């Protein structure tokens, strides 16, 4: 179970207290890579020590509680045979992963266990049966950061003979967002401090950078502070030798939005720094408006803010020392995800709102950004309105991995769920919606070309099985993802996969079903 036993009492005879949750998949020329999080649960004493179920002192479970001991798991399978090849285990909670060429970077957080003197606080890397524990002298500390936990960056070479190494940094315990480019890794978080003089709490944003040197090794790249909060990884960007972020802060009359541009430099002593180059803290949003989405694209960034209407701004970053707001357009609703399209156009997915700013549906809009001084909307948006007492939702509003995009084919798609209520009954609907995009169509540049569902498979399952539990399995047939191969679109839910002919109005060709239980 655990490669490194932190306490003898954690040894078990079975896997009943071990649970693994998988989250990431990668495919390379050699491997199928599966990444997950494993937890082994153990009893703790009120003082923090760990005990086993067989201890005589365990007399009243009210005095005990469970703590999950996390392990990040990376398993490699041969891409041709799907036989297990190698397994890597890193102690700690999985933060995120990135694949660059044949190098997989695994970021995890390892808590410092100081309950007993017998517990080694250092993180552990296990490659198959080989265990590596870093020397204390090989653990880095970033000056002027809090001493809370270990940030672990594990590099796994997906070569014919996979190898792994780890870089360990002592410091902040939580990283809210991660941005990775071909030049480095950037972590953003907010730390809260208490000011005893004013008896108030305040927060400070922190950027920590780790860059790849000439030999491909990970080295500390400098840190920087900011005010406000970063929405997601798309509000951060590395461009040439600068790092840019968009933040939002406050509510109502205190709301303020900022654009920071930092510059990488190396001191005469060889120390890498991340220094503030410019700050734009006026003009991004009208009073009371907060940032809802941002997207960097070369030497410009587009930013959406919102209170009751949606201003979309183009900010010119061609002179990093003097960023300039070039134009804006105000429409109803607000965009939560932006995707650069072909020919200087921008696809925006978000919510539609009424004049009072209340959400009334989901909306997809196309904008023309070719003239930075005159951003404009192309034709009509596609709007999916809620019923009077209903709602419409899609994972695509916040997770780009839920969107199928092909600019070359001029199409995209995502799953959408809606709830409709009438006086007599309610309807719960789930579809995978396919769109065609044509920026040259000045009237309807975005058009719905198919709405695909697995509801018929669910109904067949319910009415052909006597087990009444199947009636409550409708969520298993909610479509989550789709992928195309050649001219066939495969639509996936937990209960089924259906194949559709993309050349014939997405007609269903075949399906395969699974037991939802």
């Amino acid at each position: 179970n655990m490669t490194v036993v932190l306490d003898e009492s954690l040894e078990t005879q079975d896997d009943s207290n071990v649970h693994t949750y998988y989250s990431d998949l990668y495919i390379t020329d050699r491997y199928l890579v599966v990444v997950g999080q494993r937890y082994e649960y153990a009893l703790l004493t009120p003082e923090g020590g760990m005990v086993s179920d067989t201890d005589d002192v365990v007399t009243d479970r009210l005095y005990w509680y469970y703590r999950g001991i996390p392990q990040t798991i990376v398993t490699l399978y041969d891409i041709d045979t799907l036989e297990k090849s190698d397994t890597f285990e890193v102690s700690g909670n999985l933060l995120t992963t990135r694949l660059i060429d044949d190098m997989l970077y695994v970021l995890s957080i390892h808590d410092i266990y100081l309950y007993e003197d017998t517990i080694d606080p250092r993180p552990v890397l296990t490659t198959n049966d080989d265990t590596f524990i870093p020397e204390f002298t090989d653990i880095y500390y970033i000056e002027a950061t809090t001493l809370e936990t270990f940030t672990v960056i594990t590099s796994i070479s997906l070569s014919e003979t996979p190898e792994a190494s780890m870089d360990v940094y002592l410091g902040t315990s939580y990283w809210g967002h991660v941005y990775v480019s071909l030049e480095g890794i950037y972590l953003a978080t907010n730390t809260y401090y208490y000011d005893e003089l004013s008896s108030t709490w305040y927060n400070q944003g922190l950027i920590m950078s780790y860059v790849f040197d000439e030999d491909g090794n990970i080295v500390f790249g400098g840190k920087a502070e900011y005010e406000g909060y970063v929405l997601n990884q798309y509000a951060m960007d590395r461009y040439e030798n600068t790092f840019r972020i968009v933040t939002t802060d406050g509510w109502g009359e205190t709301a303020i939005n900022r654009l920071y541009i930092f510059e990488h430099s190396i001191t005469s002593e060889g120390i890498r720094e991340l220094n503030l180059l410019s700050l734009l803290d006026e003009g991004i949003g009208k009073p009371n408006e907060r940032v809802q989405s941002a997207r960097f694209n070369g030497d410009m960034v587009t930013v959406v803010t919102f209170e009751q209407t949606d201003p979309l701004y183009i900010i010119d970053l061609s002179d990093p020392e003097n960023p300039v707001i070039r134009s804006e357009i105000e429409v109803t609703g607000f965009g939560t995800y932006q995707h650069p399209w072909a020919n200087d156009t921008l696809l925006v997915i978000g919510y539609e709102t009424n004049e009072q700013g209340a959400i009334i549906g989901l909306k997809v809009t196309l904008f023309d950004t070719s003239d930075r001084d005159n951003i404009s909307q192309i034709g009509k948006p596609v709007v999916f309105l809620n019923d009077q007492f209903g709602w419409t939702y899609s994972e695509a509003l916040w997770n780009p991995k839920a969107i199928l995009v092909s600019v070359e084919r001029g199409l995209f798609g995502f799953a959408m769920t809606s709830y409709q209520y009438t006086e007599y009954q309610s309807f719960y609907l789930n579809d995978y919606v396919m769109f065609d995009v044509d920026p040259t169509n000045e009237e309807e540049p975005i058009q719905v070309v198919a709405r695909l569902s697995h509801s018929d498979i669910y109904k067949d399952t319910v009415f052909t099985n006597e087990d009444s539990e199947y009636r409550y399995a409708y969520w298993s047939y909610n479509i989550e993802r789709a992928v195309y191969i050649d001219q066939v679109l495969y639509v996936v839910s937990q209960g089924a996969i259906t194949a559709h002919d993309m050349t014939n109005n997405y007609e269903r060709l075949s399906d395969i079903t699974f037991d939802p239980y």
Side-chain angles (χ1 to χ4, degrees), residues 84-270:
K84 185 183 292 186
S85 170
D86 299 270
T87 300
F88 303 88
E89 301 182 15
V90 185
S91 52
N93 287 293
L94 175 63
L95 181 59
T96 190
T97 59
R98 294 291 192 278
L99 180 64
I100 300 178
D101 296 327
D102 281 337
M103 186 67 72
L104 178 67
Y105 297 97
V106 181
L107 280 68
S108 57
I109 301 297
H110 176 70
D111 290 333
I112 302 174
Y113 300 107
L114 296 176
Y115 297 111
E116 297 181 9
D117 295 337
T118 58
I119 298 178
D120 191 326
R122 292 172 292 179
V124 178
L125 168 64
T126 301
T127 304
N128 298 325
D129 295 325
D130 297 328
T131 298
F132 170 75
I133 302 177
E135 298 292 337
F136 283 104
T137 53
D138 292 332
I139 296 176
Y140 303 96
Y141 167 64
I142 309 302
E143 186 179 1
T145 58
T146 53
L147 301 175
E148 297 174 336
T149 190
F150 294 112
T151 297
V152 182
I153 303 176
T154 305
S155 305
I156 302 176
S157 172
L158 302 180
S159 57
E160 185 174 354
T161 304
E163 297 180 350
S165 61
M166 65 192 311
D167 294 273
V168 183
Y169 296 86
L170 176 61
T172 302
S173 62
Y174 169 77
W175 296 108
H177 301 290
V178 181
Y179 172 83
V180 180
S181 71
L182 297 177
E183 293 79 21
I185 299 171
Y186 297 82
L187 307 177
T189 191
N190 287 80
T191 302
Y192 293 86
Y193 300 92
Y194 184 72
D195 187 344
E196 295 184 355
L197 294 178
S198 61
S199 299
T200 57
W201 288 89
Y202 70 97
N203 81 82
Q204 180 65 62
L206 175 66
I207 291 287
M208 196 74 71
S209 68
Y210 305 94
V211 298
F212 307 122
D213 65 11
E214 294 78 5
D215 299 322
N217 300 313
I218 297 175
V219 297
F220 176 63
K223 64 181 179 67
E225 295 181 342
Y226 60 86
E227 293 184 65
Y229 300 87
V230 177
L231 278 178
N232 50 40
Q233 66 176 359
Y234 295 98
M236 303 187 287
D237 183 73
R238 167 79 183 251
Y239 183 69
E240 295 179 342
N241 199 42
T242 63
F243 181 72
R244 301 92 62 94
I245 65 170
V246 172
T247 70
T248 190
D249 194 11
W251 298 88
E253 295 180 356
T254 66
I256 182 172
N257 308 303
R258 303 177 177 91
L259 166 70
Y260 290 87
I261 300 181
F262 301 98
E263 184 179 37
H264 281 282
S265 63
I266 302 178
T267 67
S268 57
E269 292 80 16

Side-chain angles (χ1 to χ4, degrees), residues 436-450:
D436 276 353
V437 181
D438 180 9
T440 65
N441 186 333
E442 297 181 356
E443 296 296 326
E444 297 181 330
I446 306 171
Q447 298 186 29
V448 176
V449 293

Side-chain angles (χ1 to χ4, degrees), residues 21 64 75 78 116 180 235 238 339 375 401 420 478:
Y21 308 90
W64 312 93
T75 306
D78 185 281
E116 297 181 9
V180 180
R238 167 79 183 251
H339 193 95
I375 185 173
K401 292 182 179 180
Q420 301 174 6
N478 282 355

Side-chain angles (χ1 to χ4, degrees), residues 391 416-420 427-431 451 453 478:
W391 48 261
M416 185 174 65
T417 300
S418 62
Y419 177 82
Q420 301 174 6
F427 300 91
Y428 179 84
L429 305 175
N430 172 265
D431 295 312
R451 298 188 68 155
S453 174
N478 282 355

